[in-house]
Amino acid sequence: MMIGMQSEILSGLIGFGGAIVGAGSAIWASGLQRKHEARQAQEGREAVHHDAAYNDAVQAVLKTKDLFRRKWRDEQEENWEHQLFAELDRLRLAALTFRSPTLRHRLEEGTETLRSWRGVTHTRPHRADRPRLVNRTVEHLLTVLGDYRRGEEIPQPPQEYTDARDAVLQYVEEQEDIALHFREPNA
């Protein structure tokens, strides 16, 4: 009788232990499931935010292209430059969202080049190249965004883009030197 009772107690303990292990496994699996669902929800929110930023970037570049097109055709409004800067700010803000450092850098660089669009051809005697170089800068930004969207490698900038960027950098440096010269006290 003692053996039968021990056997029942042992069976009960084994059953109880199995129940504890099963409950622990269920709680652990439930926790993993919640973490997985939370991660998926976060990834979904990031994807929606990323897509919205991408669409903002494309729309800003297309609007910038349209603003310059109207400028070259003398169809711009009074607040043309204000509209241009608003679109370039929108592009820069969207660029901050992208994880790709190459894409962010290229969009920020293109934004600064277009922001200083007057300096695109300042080193050349004939400024008729300005529309072409500005348009090539805008087209390069569209190409970069398209390649990024397709998951392709971001291309090296074309020579005209590099020329425009370098001219703007030189223009900005010269403007800063001029401003510094006028701020220094005359001795």
Side-chain angles (χ1 to χ4, degrees), residues 6 74 80 90 98-99 116:
Q6 286 178 347
D74 291 326
W80 176 87
R90 190 170 107 175
F98 300 119
R99 289 188 176 166
S116 301

Side-chain angles (χ1 to χ4, degrees), residues 94-158:
L96 296 173
T97 302
F98 300 119
R99 289 188 176 166
S100 166
T102 306
L103 177 63
R104 276 195 319 270
H105 174 73
R106 195 68 56 82
L107 292 176
E108 289 172 0
E109 180 181 75
T111 298
E112 289 309 309
T113 300
L114 294 171
R115 185 174 295 282
S116 301
W117 64 273
R118 285 183 188 89
V120 167
T121 57
H122 87 287
T123 58
R124 297 179 186 175
H126 192 321
R127 295 180 191 249
D129 283 346
R130 184 177 287 156
R132 182 177 54 79
L133 290 174
V134 166
N135 288 335
R136 294 301 264 167
T137 300
V138 171
E139 289 299 323
H140 177 64
L141 294 179
L142 285 172
T143 299
V144 164
L145 285 165
D147 288 346
Y148 171 77
R149 184 62 160 198
R150 289 186 300 277
E152 297 174 7
E153 187 176 330
I154 294 174
Q156 291 299 317

Side-chain angles (χ1 to χ4, degrees), residues 59-77 79-88 91 110-121 129-139 141-142 164 168:
Q59 292 303 313
V61 174
L62 291 173
K63 179 68 176 176
T64 298
K65 181 178 181 177
D66 182 57
L67 286 167
F68 276 113
R69 183 182 304 130
R70 285 190 279 154
K71 172 145 186 73
W72 307 141
R73 293 180 184 165
D74 291 326
E75 300 171 5
Q76 80 270 11
E77 300 91 34
N79 62 352
W80 176 87
E81 199 160 48
H82 176 74
Q83 290 179 42
L84 173 66
F85 289 167
E87 293 303 324
L88 294 175
L91 176 58
T111 298
E112 289 309 309
T113 300
L114 294 171
R115 185 174 295 282
S116 301
W117 64 273
R118 285 183 188 89
V120 167
T121 57
D129 283 346
R130 184 177 287 156
R132 182 177 54 79
L133 290 174
V134 166
N135 288 335
R136 294 301 264 167
T137 300
V138 171
E139 289 299 323
L141 294 179
L142 285 172
V168 164

